[in-house]
Amino acid sequence: MIMESAAGGRAPAVEVGGVSRVFTGRKGASVTALDDVSLTVAPGEFVSLIGPSGCGKSTLLRLIADLDTPTAGSIRVFGKPARQARIDQDYGIAFQQAGLLPWRTVAGNIELPLELHGAGKAARRARAAELIELVGLSDFAENYPDQLSGGMQQRVAIARSLAESPSLLLMDEPFGALDEMTRERMQNELVRICGETSAAVVFVTHSIPEAVFLSDRVVVMSPRPGRIRDVLGVGLGDTAERGENLREDEAFFHAVSQVRELLHGQAPTGARGVETR
Amino acid sequence: MNRGQQGGAGLVRTALPPVVFGVAALLLWQWAVVALDIKAFILPGPFLIGEEFAANLQNVIAGMVVTGRNALIGLLVGALLGILAAIVAALVPVSDEMGAPIVASISVVPIVALAPVLYTMFGAGAETARQIVAGLAVFVPVYFNTLKGLRQVRPVHRDLMRSYAASSWQATKTVTLPTATPYVFTGLRIASSLAVISALIAEYFGGPVGGLGKSITSSASSSNYGLAWAYVLGSILLGLLFYSAALALEKLVSRRTAG
Ligand SMILES: Nc1ncnc2c1ncn2[C@@H]1O[C@H](COP(=O)(O)OP(=O)(O)O)[C@@H](O)[C@H]1O
Ligand SMILES: [Mg+2]
């Protein structure tokens, strides 16, 4: 059904065409972080990027967010150049580090993008309250980040990324620092949020079960140089009907072992550092 | 209740040794002056200084007001300019490259050495020269500390601001300035005592009478050594006042920014 909406004339959420990114070191040594990567993400689609450390997942996400520019190739977001999409605020982003402003309260942090883009005070308050409720931090609205656990800070960062109801969410290992229980709860929450907002998501992770649980498609990457090795359609059902019991599902385990094989199978050296939980 | 008592006991325990030490040192000083028959022009005893201080309290306070006013004006103007210059240097790298040698040379020049020149520029009847000397002395540490603070912005915050397509001014206001604030206050704390010292020493080079520096020199040259030392005591108190105020402000701000 996702493909239908893409075929319905709307531009893809993300269109990465033949993108390479070469970092040049100080002594002329260069690292090819991405080599000829192409990827299309449909509106409302959830795509995970998985692969060992250093395979260019963060680099790809930063390129889509126009926090960095490709050495070659083109990136379009909702049919616009990435730069224009950033200026138009077409995406929300959550980094691996929560990156909250320590001198602002939880509510103040979530209001930040709204404030920068000129939303009125009352509207900001209301929206922040709504999002705080959504991520289950109602008792902590007036707390400062250093009074919160890592998991709670990360939830604030996610709420902040949702503040302007973006139709594209970019997330770089947002649950990387969380313990397993919090992590699964956050995953359930993210599935619910995506069902409600129908945003497209590009989600970086190195946990296979996480990628399978969340995604419509899992993009498996390999390092040195960073390339897309394979793309696996998971399609474990509509986000709305996906629930906790999915983790026990036969199809879930099948998809997990498929991704694992893709990661380890073809070139074992490329799969170092991957969590096989 | 219990905690309060413990806090009180803790305060006594931390405050008591320096107080005891201070009193002992003063008594030893007084004893040495009397026992060794040290002349007042070399070193008067603390009792004499205390007497003179009490007897001339109004004059000393008047001197503190004059010097303190110069120091405060210098502190405010110098700090404001230092912060502004640091912001410009951080925003426009070229201005940093051009400004760095100038600021470096200001920090090397003994600023009070400018006092005589400034007196001829602004007239010997005005306090302006002293305020400028204090301002220049303040400018340097405030500028360097602020500039350092402005460079502490975390990369993730910079990325965040870029992702919001925030203007350069918005990013400065929301992220850069709050990050730099604790550093600014560290600079202000250092500058606070420099302001008093510079304003006072500038008085030695000319200008109107009334301030602490002039009063110290005139009482010393009229052989009124106890009074000269009473003014020195006033200078110490003024310096302490400035420093404590800056320190209190720094603590207040750092507590608030730390959440
Ligand atoms: N700013 C940079 N400068 C130089 N090299 C970089 C930079 N960012 C990433 N790299 C290199 O690019 C490669 C991919 O990095 P990254 O995208 O962070 O990988 P991942 O997120 O998959 O772990 C790594 O080899 C990394 O060292
Ligand atoms: Mg990464």
Side-chain angles (χ1 to χ4, degrees), chain B residues 162-242:
Chain B
R162 187 171 155 85
S163 82
Y164 292 147
S167 69
S168 168
W169 166 241
Q170 280 181 322
T172 305
K173 198 178 62 172
T174 30
V175 168
T176 320
L177 289 185
T179 303
T181 303
Y183 293 83
V184 176
F185 280 95
T186 303
L188 281 179
R189 175 163 49 83
I190 299 165
S192 62
S193 10
L194 279 178
V196 174
I197 294 169
S198 319
L200 190 142
I201 294 181
E203 293 178 25
Y204 293 159
F205 295 92
V209 294
L212 288 169
K214 274 276 190 231
S215 304
I216 292 170
T217 45
S218 63
S219 1
S221 61
S222 60
S223 305
N224 206 341
Y225 304 110
L227 183 60
W229 279 89
Y231 280 117
V232 171
L233 184 58
S235 323
I236 294 170
L237 292 178
L238 187 64
L240 271 177
L241 183 71
F242 268 65

Side-chain angles (χ1 to χ4, degrees), chain B:
Chain B
M1 200 60 189
N2 205 2
R3 249 192 90 180
Q5 275 169 357
Q6 275 178 353
L11 189 68
V12 168
R13 213 174 304 130
T14 47
L16 200 58
V19 169
V20 169
F21 178 78
V23 171
L26 286 178
L27 289 175
L28 187 70
W29 173 8
Q30 182 68 22
W31 171 83
V33 167
V34 175
L36 304 177
D37 195 21
I38 297 175
K39 296 283 174 286
F41 67 86
I42 298 177
L43 181 67
F47 291 180
L48 176 63
I49 296 172
E51 252 168 56
E52 290 282 353
F53 185 79
N56 295 283
L57 192 59
Q58 277 186 336
N59 289 338
V60 177
I61 288 177
M64 284 170 76
V65 169
V66 170
T67 306
R69 192 166 165 273
N70 290 339
L72 189 64
I73 291 172
L75 183 61
L76 294 179
V77 175
L80 194 69
L81 291 178
I83 292 169
L84 287 178
I87 291 174
V88 171
L91 280 180
V92 192
V94 182
S95 72
D96 183 28
E97 279 160 34
M98 293 192 308
I102 299 170
V103 179
S105 57
I106 292 179
S107 63
V108 175
V109 169
I111 289 157
V112 286
L114 291 173
V117 190
L118 292 172
Y119 283 124
T120 47
M121 279 170 70
F122 294 96
E127 302 279 357
T128 321
R130 296 162 180 176
Q131 291 159 0
I132 290 176
V133 167
L136 282 172
V138 164
F139 177 85
V140 175
V142 171
Y143 174 84
F144 280 117
N145 276 281
T146 305
L147 192 55
K148 184 180 172 197
L150 293 171
R151 300 205 163 127
Q152 305 297 314
V153 175
R154 290 174 53 199
V156 64
H157 288 161
R158 205 173 299 130
D159 283 347
L160 195 67
M161 285 300 119
R162 187 171 155 85
S163 82
Y164 292 147
S167 69
S168 168
W169 166 241
Q170 280 181 322
T172 305
K173 198 178 62 172
T174 30
V175 168
T176 320
L177 289 185
T179 303
T181 303
Y183 293 83
V184 176
F185 280 95
T186 303
L188 281 179
R189 175 163 49 83
I190 299 165
S192 62
S193 10
L194 279 178
V196 174
I197 294 169
S198 319
L200 190 142
I201 294 181
E203 293 178 25
Y204 293 159
F205 295 92
V209 294
L212 288 169
K214 274 276 190 231
S215 304
I216 292 170
T217 45
S218 63
S219 1
S221 61
S222 60
S223 305
N224 206 341
Y225 304 110
L227 183 60
W229 279 89
Y231 280 117
V232 171
L233 184 58
S235 323
I236 294 170
L237 292 178
L238 187 64
L240 271 177
L241 183 71
F242 268 65
Y243 185 81
S244 318
L247 186 66
L249 207 61
E250 187 185 0
K251 286 268 182 287
L252 197 78
V253 167
S254 68
R255 192 183 312 155
R256 218 188 54 199
T257 52

Side-chain angles (χ1 to χ4, degrees), chain A residues 62 66-67 86 89 91 93 95 97 99-104 112-113 116-117 144 146-147 160, chain B residues 154 156-166 170-171 174-176 178-179 256-259:
Chain A
R62 291 175 58 82
D66 189 45
L67 298 175
R86 174 174 64 81
Q89 293 297 297
Y91 69 79
I93 191 165
F95 303 96
Q97 295 172 291
L100 303 178
L101 304 182
W103 50 86
R104 280 177 174 245
L112 176 67
L116 288 173
H117 301 134
Y144 285 88
D146 66 352
Q147 298 169 319
R160 182 180 61 186
Chain B
R154 290 174 53 199
V156 64
H157 288 161
R158 205 173 299 130
D159 283 347
L160 195 67
M161 285 300 119
R162 187 171 155 85
S163 82
Y164 292 147
Q170 280 181 322
T174 30
V175 168
T176 320
T179 303
R256 218 188 54 199
T257 52

